Every structure is written in structure tokens, then in C-alpha cells.
Amino acid sequence: MSVHQEYTSRSVVFGFTVFCAAVVPQVRGDAFSAYQHTGSFLLPAGSGPFDPLSDGRLLVLVGSDVYIETAPSSQSFTLHGTLAGADFPSFGAAFVRVSPNGMKIAVGNNGGASFSNYQVGVFDLPALSGTWFTAGHFDGEWIDNTLVALTAGDFSNPSIVTVLDTSSPNPLAPINPTIVDNIGGASGGIAFDAAANLYSGNGFTTSGPSGTGAIKMFSNAAWTGALSGGPIIDFEAEGTLIVDVLSASPIGFDAEGNFFVGGGDFSSSTDLDFVALVRQSAVAEAIAGMGAADPNDSAEVRQLDPDSANDFNFFTTNANPITHALYVREGDVVHMYHDTAFVPTVSQWGLANLSLLLTVAGTLLLRRRPIPQTACEVAR
């Protein structure tokens, strides 16, 4: 049924029942422009990284303890369990990422207490049973429910991107091939877009020639070719520059395809103290060869600074595709941005009320909006 179909008058006879799935038609504006600061909340004291679960609740690490939000957007957390065998430094884990199917988490241990025992733990949810794999890392992101892409490196050697196979039979020497090398600086973040193109960057320039904050895109064909045994991608010589801003970590996409970047370049007096949000169309134009997004053009890159009284914040960031929140974090304080132009066309309460109306005796004359066949079924 076409979305442009005109409304039609229709008699709905008593006895009809409406069965609707959890698909709620919605109207979205341009989130890039419409994001507004909508409040803040506190994570548990001493929290490390966090990531949203598939139902929108947040999972956060506090040392080796796992806390989970009691309900989406409740901002209240309860202890879920402890990661067995964890070896973390005093400043906690490097990252935590929830798998696409919501059944696992991947955790980078940040080198452990010795700063040299780099491990990535993969744990089942909700049981928290799992395995620690020996693997260098700075940041990580799931490719699918088995493979985890990792950025790794240090300040003296070019950084790399590897792919950890979490089904590897030997956790002490797992399958973890390099797919991108020669990043001329410290590791940055890592992300994938809806087309499974890979994004990563230079977290702190050393050998260069890329500078701190340079973020490139590598096509799905390029990195999967490297993973399949083809030539390893040379970061400095290949890829498409998307934007050069902050320190390229963390990075990711919101539900609309806008690209967010955290961190800060403290060698600059202006490239710090905000989270960058790159408009989806600017990302697309960069991929199409029209040049990287301009951090100084507010139509292409927004600067989100929820603490304008402090000029030296170092923000990290994440997004929640279920609650549509964009998070800007410093310490245990998380600021929320929401698309204030987001307007549901029919609420779940509205659907419930409609069902009640349809049980009323008599004949109702309704003017009905077409509903996708996959979302709703009308039965006699």
C-alpha cells in the first residue's frame, strides 16, 4: 500500500479485532539540527565505559562489576554480576560493546594492572560466562556476533586495525589478523556504517602524515578483502578522509546516520571541549569524493558542549538507537541530547484506545491512515 494513498472512509463493524505489532509509525525531522540538550544523569560512582543493550537499557562497567539500567531511560542501575578473571588497571576497561544480537559483550581490559597484559573478554548475557582472549586493543566494535574489530597501537609505532575471531580455539593465541596498518599515530576509535564500511582514525599524530583526529572510511570490499587474505590496507595511502576533528575517539553513528566523534586535540586551542556531530549528508558527500566535512562549517559539523562554563572538558560519546539519545559524557556525568523534532504519529496508548473503541457495540465510521501490512493485521 502506497504511503501516498489518500485516507478513505471505512465502516468498521463491531466484532473486528486489531492486532498490532510493536511497529509505531513515526515522523522524524533532521536530528542533526534538532538535537537539544535534554538533561543529565549520574552513572554509578567510578564507572568505566557503557553501551546500550538491545532493549535500550544501558550496561556499564564499574571495575569488573557489571551494572545494568533497571529500565530504558530510568537512569537507575543495579549490579548484575562480576566478570570472572578480569585484570583491569586502576582506571578501568578500555571499552565494552554489546553484540548485534544482544547476547554477548566484548570488553577490552586496557592492558591490565601491569599495562602489558592486553586481553579482550567475550561474555554471554545474562550469565556473564566467558573467555579472555590475548589481543592488543584501544577500542573495539562488533562486526557480527563472532568477529570483533579492534584498534591497537602505541605512541612509538604506527597503529593498526585487527579482527578478533571470538570462536578461536586457543584464547592465548587467537585468530586476529591485521586488516589496516600504518596509522601514523596512536589508535583512534572504530565504527561501521549501515553498509558495513569501516571507519577509524589517528588518535594522536606521530609519524603521520595524517594528523590527530583524521578519520578515514574504508569500503566493505576493501577491508573484507584484507580479512580474506588480500593486501592489508595502508591507512596513510588509502581510504577516504571523512573529517579531521578532535582525537578520533570514540566514533559512531546515531540512528539517522549522523557521525559522532569524541576526544580532544590538546595541541590545538580550538579542537577540544566539545563533541563533534557530522551531518549524514556531509558523510555521504565525503564518500562520494566531494571532500571531507569541514569542522568549521556548522552546517556540516555541529559542536555539542553541555558544559560551556569549562573550556577544557574532554568528552566521550555514544548513542542509543532505542531511546534516540545521544550521550555526551565526562566522568560519571552523562548529558543527553534528543531530537526534539521527533514526533510519533500514533502512540502505543493510542493503539490501545483504538482497540477499546473497536469493542464498542454498533458501527463506527473511521477515517483511517494506511498502515504497513507488516505492522498490523485486521481480522474478523
Side-chain angles (χ1 to χ4, degrees), residues 77-100:
F77 297 83
T78 58
L79 177 63
H80 178 74
T82 300
L83 301 178
D87 173 23
F88 290 122
S90 59
F91 43 85
F95 67 86
V96 61
R97 293 286 184 268
V98 178
S99 64

Side-chain angles (χ1 to χ4, degrees), residues 269-330:
S269 60
T270 58
D271 200 12
L272 74 167
D273 190 43
F274 61 90
V275 160
L277 184 68
V278 185
R279 190 190 291 271
Q280 184 275 337
S281 59
V283 175
E285 289 169 0
I287 293 173
M290 299 172 65
D294 182 358
N296 297 312
D297 184 346
S298 60
E300 295 185 354
V301 181
R302 278 189 68 184
Q303 296 186 5
L304 306 179
D305 179 7
D307 184 14
S308 58
N310 184 346
D311 293 333
F312 298 99
N313 298 105
F314 189 87
F315 295 115
T316 62
T317 182
N318 204 340
N320 191 323
I322 305 302
T323 65
H324 299 281
L326 180 67
Y327 302 114
V328 177
R329 174 187 179 182
E330 186 172 50

Side-chain angles (χ1 to χ4, degrees), residues 43-236:
L43 294 170
S47 286
F50 70 85
D51 205 40
L53 294 166
S54 55
D55 64 0
R57 292 177 299 159
L58 297 181
L59 179 149
V60 59
L61 297 182
V62 182
S64 59
D65 291 332
V66 176
Y67 284 76
I68 294 180
E69 200 173 14
T70 56
S73 302
S74 71
Q75 303 170 14
S76 175
F77 297 83
T78 58
L79 177 63
H80 178 74
T82 300
L83 301 178
D87 173 23
F88 290 122
S90 59
F91 43 85
F95 67 86
V96 61
R97 293 286 184 268
V98 178
S99 64
N101 65 5
M103 302 300 292
K104 301 177 183 178
I105 57 173
V107 179
N109 82 332
N110 233 344
S114 67
F115 308 117
S116 60
N117 178 35
Y118 280 90
Q119 297 176 313
V120 173
V122 176
F123 295 86
D124 294 330
L125 290 174
L128 294 184
S129 57
T131 302
W132 291 100
F133 296 88
T134 299
H137 61 270
F138 172 77
D139 198 5
E141 183 60 275
W142 290 91
I143 295 173
D144 56 24
N145 295 308
T146 301
L147 302 178
V148 180
L150 303 170
T151 60
D154 54 40
F155 289 95
S156 59
N157 297 294
S159 297
I160 60 176
V161 176
T162 69
V163 175
L164 173 65
D165 184 343
T166 64
S167 66
S168 297
N170 182 2
L172 297 180
I175 300 167
N176 189 29
T178 298
I179 59 171
V180 180
D181 67 5
N182 195 33
I183 303 173
S187 300
I190 188 162
F192 294 88
D193 64 18
N197 300 311
L198 184 157
Y199 297 72
S200 193
N202 189 331
F204 184 88
T205 189
T206 53
S207 58
S210 63
T212 301
I215 300 169
K216 287 188 171 184
M217 183 279 293
F218 303 94
S219 71
N220 175 266
W223 72 260
T224 56
L227 183 60
S228 300
I232 296 173
I233 297 168
D234 184 327
F235 180 91
E236 298 296 340

